[in-house]
Amino acid sequence: MLFEKLKFDVLQILTVSETTIEKKLKQICELLQAEVAYYDWVGFYFKNGDKQELKLGPYVGDPTDHEIIPFGKGICGQVALSNSNFVVPDVKAQDNYIACSISVKAEIVIPIFYDGENIGQIDIDSGTLNPFTNADELFLEYVCTEISSLLKNQNYKIWLK
Ligand code: SME
C-alpha cells in the first residue's frame, strides 16, 4: 500500500540522510507531493518563537502570501489552538478559512507535538474535492510523530530561531 511505502521513505529521509532539518522537511514535502496524486501543496508551519502565530517553514507548491498566520485564523490557526487534526473536505464550506489559491478545494492539517506541546503542523492543500480519508490522517500523524522525534534529538528550539 502506498502509505506503507511512504512511511518507510519518510523514515529514511529523517533518520538516514545527513542533512539539515530544514532540508529533510523540504524533502518530505517533495516526496509527498510527488507520490500522492491529490497532495498539491505540502508545507509546514511552526510556532513563531513566543508569539501567538505560525510561521511558514519548508513547502512545495505555489508560493503563498501567508507566511505568518495568527493563532485562531484560518484552518492552520485553528489547529494551533485546538491541538486536533482538521480535515476540510470542501474549503467553500468553511467560514474561517484563508485562501491561498482558487484551485484549492480541500485541506488537511495535522499538528506536531513536542513534549505534549503543539509546536507546528503539516498542511496539505488539494485541488480535488473531498480526497482525504482516515488513512491520510493516520499516515500524516505518523509523519508528524517521526518529525517530532527528530526535533527532540536535535533541539528544535535552536532550529526554529
Ligand atoms: N488555507 C490555510 C492557509 C495556509 S495555505 O493553505 C498555504 C488556512 O486556512 O489556514
Side-chain angles (χ1 to χ4, degrees), residues 18-30:
E18 294 268 334
T19 185
T20 62
I21 294 174
E22 193 97 25
K23 285 185 183 151
K24 288 182 180 196
L25 294 182
K26 178 88 176 193
Q27 284 173 24
I28 289 175
C29 294
E30 288 165 350

Side-chain angles (χ1 to χ4, degrees), residues 30-78:
E30 288 165 350
L31 173 76
L32 268 52
Q33 189 207 40
E35 298 292 326
V36 185
Y38 51 92
Y39 288 7
D40 295 310
W41 189 97
V42 181
F44 292 94
Y45 282 94
F46 287 94
K47 187 168 189 276
N48 193 11
D50 293 332
K51 297 182 191 156
Q52 293 293 295
E53 64 184 29
L54 295 163
K55 187 177 174 198
L56 182 63
Y59 72 94
V60 293
D62 292 340
T64 174
D65 290 338
H66 306 290
E67 294 206 354
I68 298 288
I69 299 179
F71 280 14
K73 290 209 74 178
I75 308 303
C76 297
Q78 290 178 76

Side-chain angles (χ1 to χ4, degrees), residues 67-108:
E67 294 206 354
I68 298 288
I69 299 179
F71 280 14
K73 290 209 74 178
I75 308 303
C76 297
Q78 290 178 76
V79 169
L81 295 176
S82 71
N83 305 328
S84 300
N85 298 349
F86 201 152
V87 183
V88 182
D90 178 2
V91 295
K92 284 204 183 114
Q94 294 292 321
D95 292 334
N96 189 357
Y97 167 71
I98 303 167
C100 284
S101 148
I102 49 161
S103 62
V104 177
K105 295 205 166 74
E107 179 163 2
I108 185 169

